[in-house]
Amino acid sequence: MDSWDVDRERCIRPNTKLANMVLQGWAQSKEKKNGVGARALLDWMFDQHQIKKNDYIKPTFPSYNYVMSACVRSSKYLNAKDKRINFGIVLRTFEDLVKASNVNPGSVSYRIMLSACKELLPPGREQQHHVKAIFQHCCRVGGVDEYLYFVFLECSNKETSIEVIEKDHHVSWDELPEKWKRNCKIYS
């Protein structure tokens, strides 16, 4: 019996909204282990929904983003080893989001991923490899909004951006191929 089933009359039944509120708290916290804690809660949500068939708990788009944000937010307080652990959590969480049947990554997810590369990986080949792969994935699904493009330029070195864009490093968002932007919502 799950501890939540002890007294349904007097207890608040856990649900996606409550779990996301806790994940949001982890995402806003500056604690060193907030990424680990947030991922543990996301894993619990998976377990509740997929294995225990609890329809009240289902990871949503914000659930994944909160976990990734929690890992990035604490980067200033982490040593190199813990940054690597948090990057692994971000990568795993993003891969789970891509594989999820009920949600897809959006521009916010891609921005968090790019920020994770910048904040959690040391500058160099591996960092640029991930920046390039993430941005190219976003291009393929048509999710490059103006702010995401700005984050890409902030995270990429000149060689990476020229290689991906196949033009000058300082191409404006308006000059990018339309197919890269086809699924973006334009607000006026």
Side-chain angles (χ1 to χ4, degrees):
M1 176 171 24
D2 198 326
S3 62
W4 297 104
D5 293 330
V6 175
D7 188 354
R8 291 185 183 179
E9 306 299 319
R10 296 183 353 202
C11 292
I12 296 174
R13 184 176 191 89
N15 59 40
T16 300
K17 188 173 184 175
L18 288 172
N20 279 346
M21 288 171 59
V22 174
L23 288 172
Q24 184 178 22
W26 281 113
Q28 295 174 351
S29 169
K30 295 178 183 174
E31 294 294 319
K32 288 183 178 183
K33 300 288 184 183
N34 59 359
V36 174
R39 182 60 208 206
L41 179 53
L42 184 64
D43 288 339
W44 179 81
M45 291 172 75
F46 284 133
D47 179 65
Q48 288 294 307
H49 181 70
Q50 294 174 347
I51 297 171
K52 297 186 178 174
K53 306 299 182 200
N54 182 346
D55 289 331
Y56 295 104
I57 300 285
K58 184 177 188 176
T60 60
F61 177 73
S63 308
Y64 296 95
N65 286 345
Y66 289 144
V67 172
M68 294 187 298
S69 291
C71 292
V72 175
R73 175 125 174 135
S74 63
S75 65
K76 298 175 202 148
Y77 312 102
L78 301 176
N79 61 36
K81 180 183 174 191
D82 289 335
K83 284 183 179 185
R84 178 65 65 179
I85 290 168
N86 273 16
F87 186 75
I89 293 169
V90 171
L91 200 54
R92 184 172 144 223
T93 302
F94 185 78
E95 289 168 352
D96 288 343
L97 174 57
V98 169
K99 289 188 270 184
S101 60
N102 61 317
V103 291
N104 292 310
S107 63
V108 173
S109 306
Y110 288 103
R111 288 193 302 260
I112 295 168
M113 283 298 300
L114 290 171
S115 295
C117 293
K118 182 178 180 184
E119 301 296 331
L120 299 171
L121 293 175
R125 180 182 289 167
E126 179 188 15
Q127 181 193 59
Q128 292 304 302
H129 166 78
H130 286 289
V131 166
K132 177 182 171 185
I134 292 159
F135 188 74
Q136 287 178 325
H137 188 274
C138 188
C139 291
R140 281 192 300 277
V141 299
V144 180
D145 65 18
E146 197 167 358
Y147 187 54
L148 180 109
Y149 180 58
F150 172 77
V151 173
F152 167 72
L153 291 176
E154 288 285 310
C155 296
S156 63
N157 62 27
K158 186 175 182 177
E159 294 78 27
T160 300
S161 63
I162 290 173
E163 183 180 344
V164 171
I165 299 166
E166 298 177 352
K167 294 181 183 176
D168 183 38
H169 179 67
H170 297 288
V171 170
S172 74
W173 180 77
D174 293 327
E175 297 174 82
L176 295 177
E178 286 302 314
K179 66 182 180 179
W180 291 6
K181 304 180 279 187
R182 70 185 178 277
N183 293 320
C184 292
K185 295 177 184 168
I186 307 298
Y187 302 101
S188 51

